[in-house]
Amino acid sequence: MTSMASLPLPGRPDTLVIGGHTDADRVLLTPRGELVRGCARILAEKLARLPAGTARVDVDMSGVHFMDTAGLEFLEVLRDHGRRRSVPVTATRWNDQPRRILELAGLDTTDPLRSSAPEGAPSPTVSAVALEREERLHLLEEEVEQLRRAIVSRPVIDQARGILMATYGCTSDEAWHILREASQLSNTKLRAVAEALTAGAEAEGAPPPEEVRSALSRALARRSSR
């Protein structure tokens, strides 16, 4: 069994690293990290360095924890490699968020390189296929953007939960429900409520706006009465 070196993305911390090994004429690739912009180039460079005589390429995707629309380019590079070299190529073991992106894109979540159309079935018109792909990509992009916003918001929300837990002796789940209820009562985004609370807890920080203070008080009062 021959070891194959990983290929990190130059100029930034290991966004995607592709490791793997060869066994006879079969290659197993093991990407780790994120399928974002630049991932298709990393894969193309990796595939170009495969040993001569490679008769099969399998890709274990279990190490990929995030994927945006660039992941579709990653798959296209794999598909194109299989066609040009006339070798079977698979991409299996998808998890969590990347698997959801495959669902939105209308791809097989077991192996998106496998055709989902039954053998011998008539192909839909090009315009219908293009329209469906456009709609699916729009949904995919919206969901990825929502996830990105959630990732950015999480630190300040966690800080606000910590303040509530320390101040009122509530649990982490209770603090989350208080923040969410205050957001609903004040018609304010959850992130804005969390930012106002954490800013007000600083030594010279301004207190939260009146509507947020009132909503937090009501949410806390409801918790105490339960």
Side-chain angles (χ1 to χ4, degrees):
M1 194 169 289
T2 305
S3 176
M4 291 167 33
S6 299
L7 179 64
L9 177 61
R12 60 182 297 182
D14 301 343
T15 301
L16 180 68
V17 176
I18 304 180
H21 61 263
T22 61
D23 187 0
D25 58 357
R26 173 181 177 264
V27 170
L28 174 65
L29 298 181
T30 53
R32 300 190 308 278
E34 303 177 354
L35 294 189
V36 293
R37 184 177 180 181
C39 66
R41 175 182 58 80
I42 295 173
L43 175 63
E45 293 176 359
K46 188 71 171 181
L47 292 172
R49 297 175 184 175
L50 294 184
T54 298
R56 180 184 181 89
V57 179
D58 295 313
V59 187
D60 180 344
M61 304 300 299
S62 60
V64 173
H65 55 80
F66 181 83
M67 168 178 166
D68 63 15
T69 52
L72 301 182
E73 298 177 26
F74 181 95
L75 291 173
E76 192 57 39
V77 169
L78 278 175
R79 185 178 290 110
D80 183 62
H81 178 83
R83 288 170 180 164
R84 287 188 293 105
R85 301 296 179 89
S86 297
V87 298
V89 180
T90 68
T92 59
R93 300 190 66 195
W94 295 81
N95 294 316
D96 304 326
Q97 188 266 349
R99 185 181 180 91
R100 172 59 177 160
I101 296 302
L102 296 180
E103 291 175 352
L104 286 174
L107 298 174
D108 187 331
T109 57
T110 303
D111 180 2
L113 299 180
R114 182 169 53 196
S115 172
S116 58
E119 187 175 352
S123 299
T125 64
V126 173
S127 59
V129 171
L131 180 60
E132 182 179 3
R133 170 173 284 188
E134 183 178 351
E135 291 174 349
R136 288 184 179 277
L137 284 178
H138 179 66
L139 289 173
L140 184 154
E141 289 167 352
E142 283 186 346
E143 180 150 328
V144 169
E145 182 57 31
Q146 290 172 4
L147 179 60
R148 288 191 189 279
R149 288 198 296 265
I151 291 172
V152 171
S153 300
R154 182 170 179 173
V156 70
I157 292 174
D158 285 346
Q159 291 176 32
R161 290 168 73 177
I163 291 170
L164 290 173
M165 291 165 64
T167 305
Y168 299 101
C170 56
T171 67
S172 178
D173 284 345
E174 288 173 334
W176 165 254
H177 288 299
I178 290 168
L179 286 173
R180 189 174 64 177
E181 189 169 353
S183 170
Q184 295 169 348
L185 290 171
S186 62
N187 195 27
T188 306
K189 290 184 178 179
L190 182 62
R191 176 185 171 86
V193 172
E195 287 176 338
L197 182 60
T198 54
E202 296 177 358
E204 298 182 0
E210 174 57 34
E211 63 271 18
V212 174
R213 292 203 306 272
S214 175
L216 282 168
S217 296
R218 291 164 63 190
L220 285 163
R222 290 184 181 184
R223 169 185 169 267
S224 300
S225 64
R226 288 171 187 164

